[in-house]
Amino acid sequence: MPVRSPYADVEIPDVPLFDFLFTDFGERAGAPAFVDGPSGAAITFAELEGMVLKIAAALSERGIGAGDVVALFAPNTPSYAAVFHGILRANAIVTSVNSLYTPGELAHQLGDSGAKLVFTVSPFLDRVTAALAEVGLPADAVVVLDAAEGRTSLRDLLATTAEPPAQTVTAGDTAVLPYSSGTTGRAKGVILTHRNLVANLCQIAEMGDVSSETKILAVLPFFHIYGMTVMMNQGLHRRATVVTMPKFDLPEFLRVISEHRVSRVYIAPPVAVALAKHPIVDQYDLSCIDVVFSGAAPLDAELGQAVAKRLNCTVLQGYGMTELSPVSHCMPDDRPDMDLNTCGFAIPNVESKLVDPETGQEVGPGERGELWVRGPNVMSGYLNNPEATAITLDDEGYLHTGDVATVTEDGVFTIVDRVKELIKYKGYQVPPAELEALLLTHDEIADAAVIGVRDADGEEVPKAFVVRQAGANLGAAEVMAFVAERIAPHKKVRVVEFIDEIPKSASGKILRKDLRAREAERV
Ligand code: 4UU
């Protein structure tokens, strides 16, 4: 029997995201919606709406409309939110790009998603220019959010006198295409509709106490679904104030929280390590923090408790996945007593099943099984990839997450393992298939396989098993440097082992289980 959420279903309005978020700000119209953490510059809800409509009008003037994909390749700032919603309001689709990407990675996403235009910031222009050339897009298909000589800027778009186009998108249309490798292979465009995003906001609104009184810290990137839904759009939905930070830097992070009196901090587990252990944390007045919420990788309960004690706040954990818009399970604000090893309950409108991957049979409470999720927040599929969609989404509408979980009789879920290939480095996705393909392009490498292993701090890191070409004397440092030059820093291979042969099945698939077992023996 599937486990239903213990919460009553919520109604999901059948409207595009803009209509859901930008109606009747009431008393909050003049209140700050987004504040730039470093500078303190704020934009109000009303100002944001004005910007969104201007951006939509200017995009429409430039011929961008229904079905067109626009890339957003920028760090967190208030204008990120304006551009994101401007693109949607122009009836177009946002593909959000990891701001650490190299030109090659950016080019891949631009080409795969069919993006026509890129919004970026001037420090990223070199990478964008190289990527545009690689995919054959015109060099002027760029808008900068700040300013750059000879470039169209956000300010130019905002100067338009045109009216915004009529809104023609409906709830079932694609809103965003974030990229995820899912359970196997390279990063793929995840088709999330307006309904998916609206649904997840309605669902999480039942779990957390986020209101116009709340100040949310958005240091986790808006390009990733956690930042996009849980920080940027939840902030807007609940009429909270979102304080943005373009990158993580511990002293600046603590200063911004303290000076802006942030009450709700969303993190991934590595930040919890700093909050629990780093001596400089004591130099800041962090009494403003009510809740620290962790997601994107497993949180260690003792670590979580150490944060709660040191900051005298509630620590909560949630589970999510890009393909789930992203949240499916989390701890509610009113249960600060819950075991921090768990990810809490299924959120409203979510049904879950735990299934034995070997037998396909559903398992009962206390037993381990792959987590399957069904609900209005489940993606409609992978872009141009029916094969990957078919292995991830079943006929009954369940998404097979590739994560292994247990559930108690009370419906409390704990993530205990992963059966998919995916590696998470500090909460960021590292697709092994991509690293393997890259390693194979090296002349002295005959074969390669990549898995996640634990480093000395218990952090998951990518490890490459490499088979050298006959006669080659390639070293580990050279392998790591070769990869590091070609991909974003979070995807670096951090451990290398040379072996004679990669274990493979009869059909040629890498037997990652055997490599993991080999690793477990060493430890
Ligand atoms: C163990 O990381 C995310 C989304 C994270 C998220 C968002 C909002 C968490 C809580 C929240 O409220 O998405 P992806 O697609 O980058 O990575 C998804 C994968 C999962 O399949 C799982 O393997 O990240 C891992 N993961 C977790 N693992 C995510 N959250 C957890 C968790 N414990 N709490």
Side-chain angles (χ1 to χ4, degrees):
M1 280 286 286
V3 183
R4 284 202 61 88
S5 167
Y7 298 90
D9 277 1
V10 291
E11 205 186 314
I12 317 294
D14 193 30
V15 294
L17 188 62
F18 176 84
D19 290 355
F20 180 67
L21 294 178
F22 288 81
T23 38
D24 189 16
F25 294 129
E27 282 182 352
R28 294 291 286 168
F34 288 89
V35 178
D36 178 55
S39 69
I43 53 175
T44 67
F45 285 90
E47 284 165 350
L48 180 69
E49 181 170 21
M51 289 172 77
V52 167
L53 294 172
K54 287 285 184 195
I55 294 164
L59 287 174
S60 183
E61 276 184 298
R62 282 166 173 74
I64 300 283
D68 291 332
V69 176
V70 179
L72 187 41
F73 181 55
N76 289 5
T77 57
S79 44
Y80 191 107
V83 170
F84 179 93
H85 287 289
I87 296 166
L88 295 191
R89 181 59 185 77
N91 302 304
I93 297 163
V94 174
T95 191
S96 55
V97 189
N98 187 319
S99 49
L100 298 174
Y101 270 6
T102 60
E105 292 166 319
L106 171 61
H108 175 262
Q109 187 167 334
L110 294 178
D112 190 71
S113 65
K116 288 192 165 166
L117 180 69
V118 184
F119 279 87
T120 193
V121 289
S122 55
F124 294 3
L125 272 172
D126 286 350
R127 285 183 286 157
V128 173
T129 305
L132 290 173
E134 195 174 325
V135 284
L137 278 166
D140 64 355
V142 186
V143 179
V144 290
L145 300 185
D146 47 351
E149 180 84 32
R151 297 291 186 171
T152 304
S153 70
L154 181 57
R155 183 187 282 243
D156 297 328
L157 300 198
L158 294 173
T160 183
T161 53
E163 289 296 316
Q167 194 169 212
T168 55
V169 285
T170 59
D173 289 325
T174 305
V176 293
L177 293 169
Y179 272 62
S180 165
S181 68
T183 56
T184 181
R186 299 188 58 141
K188 297 172 276 290
V190 177
I191 303 172
L192 298 179
T193 62
H194 287 263
R195 179 176 294 117
N196 289 148
L197 300 182
V198 170
N200 212 225
L201 293 171
C202 295
Q203 293 168 295
I204 62 177
E206 298 298 306
M207 307 299 288
D209 265 331
V210 181
S211 71
S212 58
E213 310 276 289
T214 310
K215 282 198 174 170
I216 294 176
L217 186 76
V219 66
L220 301 185
F222 291 152
F223 65 71
H224 185 248
I225 194 73
Y226 186 7
M228 187 190 295
T229 293
V230 178
M231 282 145 257
M232 179 171 74
N233 290 336
Q234 180 178 222
L236 271 169
H237 179 215
R238 309 309 298 167
R239 308 304 191 223
T241 297
V242 179
V243 180
T244 62
M245 287 188 67
K247 61 178 200 294
F248 183 78
D249 167 75
L250 185 61
E252 175 69 354
F253 169 77
L254 299 170
R255 181 192 75 79
V256 167
I257 293 174
S258 178
E259 285 186 13
H260 292 282
R261 307 312 292 161
V262 166
S263 58
R264 199 172 178 95
V265 184
Y266 289 97
I267 61 164
V271 180
V273 178
L275 286 175
K277 300 191 176 154
H278 203 291
I280 71 160
V281 171
D282 293 329
Q283 293 172 21
Y284 297 83
D285 172 9
L286 304 176
S287 59
C288 46
I289 301 178
D290 295 330
V291 171
V292 170
F293 187 103
S294 176
L299 177 70
D300 177 73
E302 267 177 44
L303 182 66
Q305 282 150 11
V307 172
K309 196 163 166 226
R310 189 174 192 193
L311 302 182
N312 186 28
C313 69
T314 297
V315 175
L316 303 170
Q317 178 167 208
Y319 164 85
M321 183 170 165
T322 308
E323 290 81 346
L324 298 171
S325 302
V327 191
S328 63
H329 296 75
C330 75
M331 293 180 182
D333 274 36
D334 61 8
R335 289 291 305 275
D337 57 300
M338 281 184 90
D339 176 359
L340 270 177
N341 279 313
T342 78
C343 285
F345 302 103
I347 63 176
N349 307 47
V350 159
E351 291 169 278
S352 338
K353 270 193 206 180
L354 295 181
V355 177
D356 182 333
E358 305 287 315
T359 64
Q361 296 296 309
E362 215 182 320
V363 302
E367 292 178 80
R368 299 159 73 101
E370 185 188 1
L371 174 63
W372 293 8
V373 175
R374 180 159 77 177
N377 52 313
V378 173
M379 69 164 180
S380 58
Y382 291 112
L383 185 69
N384 303 326
N385 202 329
E387 302 80 21
T389 304
I391 59 168
T392 311
L393 270 177
D394 68 26
D395 295 344
E396 293 177 350
Y398 278 95
L399 182 122
H400 300 195
T401 65
D403 292 303
V404 181
T406 60
V407 63
T408 65
E409 297 281 357
D410 303 333
V412 177
F413 286 79
T414 304
I415 306 295
V416 293
D417 199 3
R418 222 183 269 145
V419 280
K420 57 185 165 188
E421 297 167 11
L422 180 68
I423 301 166
K424 284 238 138 164
Y425 178 71
K426 301 198 171 186
Y428 289 105
Q429 292 202 5
V430 182
E434 188 183 328
L435 295 180
E436 287 154 4
L438 175 57
L439 287 164
L440 289 177
T441 65
H442 192 293
D443 288 344
E444 293 185 66
I445 295 178
D447 206 355
V450 176
I451 63 167
V453 299
R454 298 275 156 194
D455 71 3
D457 300 327
E459 196 70 61
E460 187 178 18
V461 296
K463 169 169 179 173
F465 291 87
V466 173
V467 181
R468 291 191 191 96
Q469 291 285 16
N473 49 19
L474 182 72
E478 286 166 88
V479 172
M480 288 193 265
F482 175 79
V483 173
E485 278 164 26
R486 290 164 176 83
I487 42 96
H490 65 280
K491 293 188 202 160
K492 281 182 192 173
V493 165
R494 288 168 202 269
V495 189
V496 175
E497 183 179 335
F498 293 99
I499 56 173
D500 295 334
E501 196 185 352
I502 302 292
K504 291 199 180 146
S505 69
S507 62
K509 278 183 82 174
I510 295 170
L511 292 171
R512 293 175 204 281
K513 260 203 283 190
D514 292 6
L515 291 171
R516 287 198 197 104
R518 185 190 164 98
E519 199 57 30
E521 265 171 41
R522 278 165 38 100
V523 182

